[in-house]
Amino acid sequence: MIVGMSNAVNLTDGLDGLAIMPTAMVAGALGIFATSGNSIFANYLAIPAIPQAGELLVFCGALGGAGSDSFGSTPIRRRSSWAISARWRSGAALGVVAIIVRQEIVAL
């Protein structure tokens, strides 16, 4: 899962150079599922409650916010900040979060 997400983000960014927005949207979706640390909210959404998963909401919010900021900047600045290592890391981070919150199909 982790290697697949890393490769998917790297391939998407290699095609058009704009993989940050899908990365930010997937981070937002996984952040919603990360709120399953709250058992009442998890029962409302009919998803499994995962203790201590609420902290991932902060991480997903930071990843999505950083992606939104990077998308709004100029193309030259975006290409310099969105290097190959950042592609691999963001894909791996999404894969790890998807595994922790048990929502691997959402990341795909």
Side-chain angles (χ1 to χ4, degrees), residues 18-72:
L18 297 174
I20 190 64
M21 207 58 211
T23 302
M25 292 186 329
V26 170
L30 288 174
I32 292 171
F33 286 111
T35 59
S36 65
N38 183 351
S39 61
I40 297 170
F41 193 63
N43 287 335
Y44 178 74
L45 291 177
I47 56 177
I50 302 166
Q52 305 296 326
E55 288 84 1
L56 289 174
L57 178 61
V58 176
F59 177 74
C60 290
L63 186 60
S68 298
D69 176 56
S70 174
F71 189 72

